[in-house]
Amino acid sequence: MSYKRILSIQDVSCVGQCSMTVALPILSACGIETAILPSAVLSTHTAGFTGFTVRDLAGDMPAINEHWVKEGIKFDAIYTGYLGSKQQVDYVLNICKTTLNERGLFIVDPAMADNGKLYYGFDMEYVNENKKLVKACDYLLPNITEACFLTGIEYKEVYDREYIDNLVLALRNLGAKNIVLTGVSFREGKTGIMVYENDNYNYYEHEKREKSCHGTGDIYSSAFVGALLNGKSAIQSAKIAGDYVVKCIKATEGDSDHWYGAKFEPVLGELIKEVR
Ligand code: PXL
């Protein structure tokens, strides 16, 4: 594999094992040079901690972008996650326009919601602005809640294949090219990933652990991107990322003090074996 350089744009939650503190080590372990642009700095993530600090870094983005353009810096891929505010969407699109290599990949995890609810601080204006990213990206990595907010389709906990096909179709109608829909569960004890790529549907099903951990969406997306940039197909990458998340959850289960994230580090070696 040739040496690739990726830019990841998402927040730095200083403590909490999510977003950038997950993406940077995972992508590096996958053998990819990883540049970062923090969208915001928070003392912790917002899911379970209280009294956290938040600093939105939207205001820094144009000057950072300008400097990179001056330096002629280019990326083979750009992967975005949690953005601090809706102003960032246009800035991110401009960064893509000016720094992404000609055949570079733009991968978007619209990290804004889970379990039927938007994350703290986000509203429908933020959701609507994110539709621009849906249209612009090469791969969209939503969970079902995010797909519902983006498309206006009602969120359901129990559903059938037709419901999932309709979600994918509605995302395609928003302009999404390739879609990797996570957390798709058709039967008890199992969950999986629906991959829509080049007009084909593929579903990968794996075991569903009873315990869910915060941050596994970011672990999943980072591992998916790491595999994809190593030349794996979308469905292979989905399988590798899904299996890795199960290993991370198993490594965390039973430790009730570790409620804020998943222990992805002890099993990173197993991911590397699959990806490289
Ligand atoms: O894992 C998604 C995420 C990322 N960043 C911050 C969050 C969350 C989820 O709650 O709060 C700051």
Side-chain angles (χ1 to χ4, degrees):
M1 188 203 71
S2 64
Y3 187 67
K4 297 227 169 80
R5 179 198 273 166
I6 190 170
L7 168 67
S8 186
I9 310 176
Q10 48 191 311
D11 72 285
V12 173
S13 285
C14 300
V15 172
Q17 284 176 312
C18 70
S19 39
M20 205 68 99
T21 63
V22 161
L24 181 53
I26 289 178
L27 291 167
S28 298
C30 291
I32 301 155
E33 177 185 344
T34 307
I36 63 165
L37 176 50
S39 58
V41 177
L42 296 91
S43 52
T44 64
H45 63 62
T46 66
F49 293 100
T50 52
F52 41 81
T53 70
V54 185
R55 183 175 300 271
D56 180 81
L57 295 180
D60 291 31
M61 287 184 166
I64 290 173
N65 189 5
E66 222 173 277
H67 182 218
W68 287 346
V69 169
K70 244 189 228 151
E71 292 288 333
I73 290 168
K74 293 274 184 183
F75 302 103
D76 301 304
I78 295 181
Y79 153 43
T80 66
Y82 181 107
L83 301 178
S85 55
K86 69 176 178 1
Q87 300 88 281
Q88 296 196 7
V89 170
D90 282 340
Y91 294 153
V92 165
L93 290 171
N94 203 48
I95 289 168
C96 285
K97 205 164 103 193
T98 55
T99 68
L100 193 55
N101 276 331
E102 209 175 306
R103 276 197 295 279
L105 286 181
F106 181 29
I107 302 146
V108 170
D109 175 350
M112 59 172 78
D114 205 359
N115 301 313
K117 288 197 202 100
L118 286 174
Y119 294 146
Y120 169 92
F122 293 152
D123 56 17
M124 281 315 289
E125 268 189 61
Y126 182 78
V127 173
N128 287 332
E129 193 66 8
N130 266 269
K131 291 179 189 169
K132 293 182 186 169
L133 297 177
V134 172
K135 192 161 183 215
C137 70
D138 298 296
Y139 287 88
L140 182 72
L141 317 178
N143 59 35
I144 291 185
T145 304
E146 288 155 350
C148 286
F149 274 106
L150 286 165
T151 59
I153 290 175
E154 184 195 354
Y155 174 74
K156 289 188 182 168
E157 301 261 332
V158 180
Y159 44 76
D160 55 12
R161 174 68 198 243
E162 193 186 349
Y163 175 77
I164 295 300
D165 287 350
N166 282 337
L167 270 181
V168 170
L169 183 61
L171 289 169
R172 287 171 56 201
N173 287 339
L174 286 177
K177 296 175 196 78
N178 300 301
I179 300 158
V180 179
L181 185 61
T182 60
V184 178
S185 171
F186 294 120
R187 52 196 179 126
E188 217 166 292
K190 299 278 179 190
T191 188
I193 304 120
M194 184 64 76
V195 176
Y196 173 83
E197 187 184 39
N198 303 327
D199 281 332
N200 283 313
Y201 284 86
N202 269 301
Y203 179 61
Y204 178 64
E205 188 179 62
H206 59 81
E207 79 179 283
K208 179 175 181 168
R209 305 298 295 175
E210 248 171 59
K211 180 184 165 59
S212 67
C213 294
H214 182 264
T216 48
D218 301 334
I219 293 171
Y220 178 85
S221 294
S222 304
F224 176 88
V225 172
L228 195 70
L229 290 194
N230 272 277
K232 308 286 185 206
S233 68
I235 188 66
Q236 281 172 325
S237 303
K239 175 181 184 312
I240 289 170
D243 291 346
Y244 179 53
V245 166
V246 171
K247 288 176 190 154
C248 295
I249 296 174
K250 283 182 177 168
T252 314
E253 282 169 345
D255 183 353
S256 55
D257 288 341
H258 205 98
W259 58 268
Y260 52 85
K263 297 178 183 174
F264 68 95
E265 306 89 344
V267 283
L268 203 42
E270 295 183 42
L271 173 68
I272 296 171
K273 267 192 244 152
E274 294 296 322
V275 161
R276 307 209 67 203

